Amino acid sequence: MTIKHIEEYRDPDTSRKIIDRIQNISKSKIRIMEVCGTHTMSIFRSGIRALLPNTISLLSGPGCPVCVTAQNEIDAFIELSRVDDVIIATFGDILRVPGTQSTLQKEKGYGGDIRVVYSTFDALDIARRNPGKRIVFLGVGFETTAPTIAASIISANEMGLDNFFVFSAHKLVPPALEALLETDNVRIDGFILPGHVSVIIGTKAYTPLFEKYKIPGAVAGFEPIDILQAVSLLIEQIESGHPRLENAYIRAVTFDGNKKAQKIMHDVFETVDINWRGMGTIPKSGLKIRKGYAAFDAQREFDILVPYSKDPKGCACGEILTGMKIPPECILYKKICTPMDPVGPCMVSSEGTCAAYYRYHS
Amino acid sequence: MKTNKILLDHGSGGKISHSLITDIMLPIFDNPILSQLNDGAIFDVEGKRLAFSTDTYVVDPIFFPGGNIGDLAINGTVNDIAMCGATPLYLSVGLVIEEGFSLDDLEEILKSMSIAAEKACVKVVTGDTKVVPTGVADKIFINTSGIGLIPESVDIASHKARPGDKIILSGSIGDHGITVLTQREGMTFDSSVISDSAPLNHMVNGMLCVCNEIHVLRDPTRGGVGTALNEIANKSNAGIRIYEEKIPVKDEVAGICELLGFDPLYIANEGKLLAFVDPDRAGDVLAAVKDDEFGKDACIIGEVISEHPRKVFMQTRIGGTRIVDMLTGEQLPRIC
């Protein structure tokens, strides 16, 4: 496997040209939100912030799946890991997220059977090899991960597995953007839209939103030049007063998106109102397993209650995820909350805004 | 949220490992030799300066492209001694074997240990074997300790980096960590990257022949180049600046890191070294590194600066700057 094409999207000369252009056309003070946590990390890792004129503020958005997972969901994951015959299968970065009383990582240290997998199909294998156990896959993620998890449920059904379950905490990006635009005190002049999510849902998924709110938007890839290009397009739109939805990631994103993935997702899941950390309940922004596949629904199989669940005191993750605060404005940041001893999820995830500030911001 | 249990992060080589060492272990065993916290202990015995080091290998899987747990255990300790500027001489080997382990596999591991020792010109002179019941250990764990002699004029330690020093890296980063990762259960990458496991003592010998004023040597194993540079910046109370475009990363390693959300700066290496050298001598030392069979892709990746003590900065390809922090715990694959 070779990914050589990356180089051209990191080329110093090309980036210099785009930065010069940005310097020339940027006049008014603007706030651009990069919705996706992978963009946040890429921006910090490539040092883009320092190269932009001070007219431009980049805000991180609610596009870090671990960060927006509600506290009661994290607590439910932890409770599930304590059930005797349960093996938890999960992607890695949720392990360290603090619940109200513990973390999955600590439960692992205390003897919980918690396994990090790289694909949902690995979780199916675990189920097949452990017929006496119940395997719960933690379905955390956006439209990017939901189709593969849906596909694993379809496969489990075809294989006749009766010990594989998914706890669906999936969330959808477009409804969250609408909720942001409807929130008081949130001032966003343009969106850098997520690349991976858009590969699945296509730019058409954003069309109603952008027609309604007339806000500048650009779908972007994750290399420095992708991001700079998107910033440049957004400034042009803002300065010219012609907001629209543009695709700056045409090598991967189409208007229609991946129809096959959309169909699988639709076959297995239906939309549901769901609670986002820091944003409250957003209508039709979550995915629930449909009745036809209810046998694989962990929330139906297990009666997990977490009445003790509460958000960590003083943690500003919610305001940070909505662009209302930046991490240094949180009273816990760097004092009580560090990657060594995180209070909120934004300090934990490799995509988290607080973790990015902590690691890369001088 | 503190814990009263050992977590995997305590063994990651990052900040959490460091706090285990400095908060719990150092106060218990406190002595001036240990507290230097170099790759090996450096001390005098009857007028001779010796380097002494130990390491335990629990790699999973035990066989991987480019090596196995056996040659890794030899090379690892040889390198720890070499990073003190010493010529490694004698090693001990301790084996903890799980009941039911294949004798053929054991023989293969021992033979590759023997070949690795021969290649590094060290002798295994003492050993120990324990067998534990099934499930008490995972297949086989190996401890190696070793001793080496430091030439009189050599004075290498991780606190000796000075402003102006050039930083030499002996080749591409992340090869070992990514190789092992891609061989683990559940990973389905069809990858041709192989571990860089190799002895570095001959390379160090060649470097010391052209210049005995190397200030710091370090093999960036667990925690990778990012963690090693932070440790050196901290101990030397100096700032470090590196250049992203200078750091060699194989396309495959970069690609797998992209997919998993990993930063190659924090991925383990088992056959690479970092050398901090006076700027006037850096060219000669670099040439000596390149002369070695394991240093063909060596280059200068940055320098020590007097500003920003104890911080590591990286100038990115596109001309930005960012901090390279020490890793907290193990890197975990991201969700999207």
Side-chain angles (χ1 to χ4, degrees):
Chain A
M1 184 182 63
T2 309
I3 305 183
K4 274 195 186 292
H5 74 267
I6 286 178
E7 288 305 307
E8 61 190 279
Y9 297 97
R10 295 176 179 174
D11 179 61
D13 293 337
T14 314
S15 42
R16 191 67 254 163
K17 281 180 195 149
I18 305 174
I19 291 161
D20 286 347
R21 177 164 170 72
I22 289 172
Q23 300 271 9
N24 285 333
I25 59 174
S26 176
K27 306 280 185 262
S28 40
K29 278 203 170 254
I30 57 167
R31 290 156 60 87
I32 293 173
M33 174 175 277
E34 81 271 1
V35 174
C36 174
T38 313
H39 278 146
T40 302
M41 239 351 148
S42 180
I43 287 166
F44 275 102
R45 276 175 63 170
S46 53
I48 284 178
R49 278 165 181 264
L51 298 170
L52 294 177
N54 56 15
T55 41
I56 299 164
S57 302
L58 292 178
L59 310 168
S60 305
C64 154
V66 168
C67 305
V68 294
T69 300
Q71 189 79 352
N72 61 331
E73 289 170 331
I74 303 283
D75 285 329
F77 298 163
I78 291 166
E79 284 296 334
L80 269 172
S81 78
R82 293 171 174 166
V83 177
D84 268 351
D85 65 338
V86 163
I87 299 175
I88 297 283
T90 177
F91 295 138
D93 50 1
I94 202 110
L95 283 191
R96 293 196 187 103
V97 177
T100 307
Q101 299 171 343
S102 181
T103 67
L104 284 171
Q105 194 174 39
K106 281 180 191 160
E107 295 302 318
K108 193 165 183 272
Y110 298 154
D113 195 343
I114 298 161
R115 304 186 190 180
V116 172
V117 294
Y118 299 93
S119 140
T120 40
F121 285 84
D122 300 337
L124 282 183
D125 274 346
I126 297 173
R128 213 167 28 204
R129 281 186 277 113
N130 294 275
K133 298 273 190 178
R134 289 183 290 177
I135 283 64
V136 180
F137 184 83
L138 305 181
V140 170
F142 297 114
E143 292 91 332
T144 342
T145 36
T148 60
I149 292 167
S152 73
I153 291 174
I154 292 171
S155 295
N157 192 35
E158 286 166 0
M159 289 190 283
L161 282 178
D162 60 2
N163 65 335
F164 175 77
F165 306 93
V166 169
F167 190 121
S168 178
H170 292 102
K171 295 181 174 59
L172 303 173
V173 168
L177 297 184
E178 175 146 22
L180 266 178
L181 292 168
E182 288 290 341
T183 307
D184 296 338
N185 305 327
V186 171
R187 204 203 108 200
I188 299 161
D189 298 309
F191 284 115
I192 299 174
L193 295 164
H196 295 144
V197 165
S198 306
V199 168
I200 305 291
I201 64 177
T203 54
K204 72 172 180 201
Y206 305 107
T207 312
L209 183 78
F210 281 79
E211 278 177 0
K212 182 174 172 188
Y213 292 94
K214 309 276 183 236
I215 184 163
V219 176
F222 298 97
E223 295 305 321
I225 286 175
D226 289 322
I227 295 169
L228 287 170
Q229 187 65 30
V231 170
S232 171
L233 289 173
L234 288 172
I235 297 169
E236 269 176 50
Q237 290 186 33
I238 294 165
E239 294 296 339
S240 67
H242 288 108
R244 60 192 176 278
L245 173 61
E246 285 189 271
N247 183 2
Y249 196 25
I250 48 172
R251 68 181 186 278
V253 175
T254 60
F255 176 75
D256 283 327
N258 183 334
K259 286 185 171 172
K260 195 174 170 190
Q262 291 166 23
K263 182 178 183 316
I264 291 171
M265 197 157 57
H266 181 264
D267 287 348
V268 174
F269 295 118
E270 58 187 323
T271 55
V272 64
D273 301 350
I274 199 166
N275 188 22
W276 292 56
R277 186 184 294 263
M279 299 178 74
T281 301
I282 303 176
K284 292 188 187 300
S285 69
L287 291 176
K288 177 179 182 291
I289 296 173
R290 285 184 189 276
K291 277 207 181 104
Y293 293 100
F296 303 98
D297 188 345
Q299 280 148 293
R300 185 173 160 276
E301 171 77 7
F302 298 91
D303 197 17
I304 296 290
L305 293 172
V306 285
Y308 55 82
S309 191
K310 60 172 190 282
D311 283 336
K313 208 176 159 193
C315 171
C317 276
E319 288 138 302
I320 288 164
L321 289 165
T322 48
M324 288 196 270
K325 274 189 179 170
I326 57 169
E329 290 169 346
C330 172
I331 52 167
L332 305 183
Y333 176 73
K334 268 194 176 178
K335 297 185 189 90
I336 292 168
C337 183
T338 66
M340 287 262 282
D341 201 8
V343 177
C346 300
M347 187 57 96
V348 180
S349 170
S350 61
E351 320 262 280
T353 311
C354 298
Y357 263 78
Y358 190 95
R359 280 172 69 177
Y360 300 130
H361 193 65
S362 54
Chain B
M1 203 179 290
K2 302 284 180 202
T3 174
N4 58 354
K5 301 264 183 186
I6 286 289
L7 306 177
L8 282 173
D9 276 345
H10 284 112
S12 67
K15 280 185 186 172
I16 294 177
S17 300
H18 269 253
S19 69
L20 180 70
I21 293 167
T22 50
D23 300 345
I24 296 186
M25 295 176 178
L26 262 186
I28 292 175
F29 295 108
D30 188 30
N31 69 64
I33 299 173
L34 180 67
S35 63
Q36 290 173 14
L37 294 180
N38 283 316
D39 275 341
I42 297 170
F43 48 86
D44 292 337
V45 177
E46 295 188 352
K48 297 279 185 198
R49 287 179 68 224
L50 298 181
F52 179 43
S53 185
T54 188
D55 210 336
T56 304
Y57 297 82
V58 297
V59 63
D60 170 38
I62 53 175
F63 294 97
F64 46 82
N68 63 50
I69 190 170
D71 46 46
L72 189 69
I74 298 291
N75 291 336
T77 292
V78 162
N79 292 346
D80 280 348
I81 297 168
M83 295 308 123
C84 301
T87 305
L89 298 170
Y90 301 111
L91 298 192
S92 72
V93 173
L95 304 173
V96 178
I97 309 170
E98 186 186 15
E99 174 189 26
F101 187 66
S102 149
L103 262 178
D104 287 346
D105 284 351
L106 179 64
E107 210 173 326
E108 188 176 342
I109 289 167
L110 296 177
K111 278 182 183 160
S112 52
M113 292 179 87
S114 162
I115 294 166
E118 199 171 321
K119 200 163 183 179
C121 303
V122 293
K123 286 197 164 53
V124 174
V125 291
T126 183
D128 177 54
T129 305
K130 297 282 188 292
V131 178
V132 297
T134 307
V136 173
D138 184 14
K139 300 186 228 11
I140 183 167
F141 298 154
I142 303 179
N143 172 275
T144 50
S145 297
I147 197 156
L149 202 54
I150 304 176
E152 257 179 35
S153 53
V154 171
D155 187 13
I156 291 169
S158 49
H159 67 273
K160 291 192 181 293
R162 298 177 202 158
D165 278 0
K166 293 288 179 195
I167 304 167
I168 296 169
L169 170 66
S170 67
S172 61
I173 62 169
D175 299 357
H176 176 75
I178 290 298
T179 302
V180 169
L181 186 76
T182 54
Q183 298 301 311
R184 287 212 175 128
E185 188 184 16
M187 294 298 281
T188 45
F189 289 111
D190 185 16
S191 156
S192 63
V193 59
I194 63 168
S195 168
D196 59 353
S197 173
L200 299 172
N201 53 325
H202 302 310
M203 183 191 292
V204 171
N205 195 28
M207 295 161 74
L208 289 171
C209 279
V210 297
C211 170
N212 58 12
E213 285 167 36
I214 293 166
H215 299 148
V216 183
L217 281 176
R218 174 61 67 93
D219 58 336
T221 53
R222 199 177 47 168
V225 166
T227 302
L229 290 176
N230 269 284
E231 285 172 358
I232 294 164
N234 269 321
K235 286 193 185 158
S236 300
N237 199 27
I240 287 176
R241 179 167 52 217
I242 55 172
Y243 302 91
E244 186 177 23
E245 61 185 334
K246 304 279 187 200
I247 299 171
V249 184
K250 292 199 170 102
D251 287 337
E252 280 202 309
V253 171
I256 291 169
C257 283
E258 284 291 327
L259 283 173
L260 295 173
F262 288 174
D263 186 339
L265 277 176
Y266 300 106
I267 306 279
N269 311 279
E270 289 292 345
K272 298 291 162 13
L273 62 75
L274 290 160
F276 287 59
V277 187
D278 192 277
D280 296 336
R281 309 303 306 278
D284 296 342
V285 176
L286 178 64
V289 175
K290 281 173 168 280
D291 271 349
D292 187 87
E293 63 172 311
F294 303 115
K296 301 284 174 232
D297 300 324
C299 54
I300 291 174
I301 60 161
E303 62 262 335
V304 180
I305 51 176
S306 46
E307 314 87 71
H308 310 297
R310 304 161 89 87
K311 295 252 187 244
V312 180
F313 291 90
M314 180 155 90
Q315 188 171 317
T316 65
R317 271 163 211 265
I318 62 161
T321 304
R322 67 143 157 125
I323 288 180
V324 177
D325 192 20
M326 194 181 257
L327 200 61
T328 304
E330 284 196 284
Q331 291 198 97
L332 294 169
R334 67 168 175 217
I335 284 177
C336 75

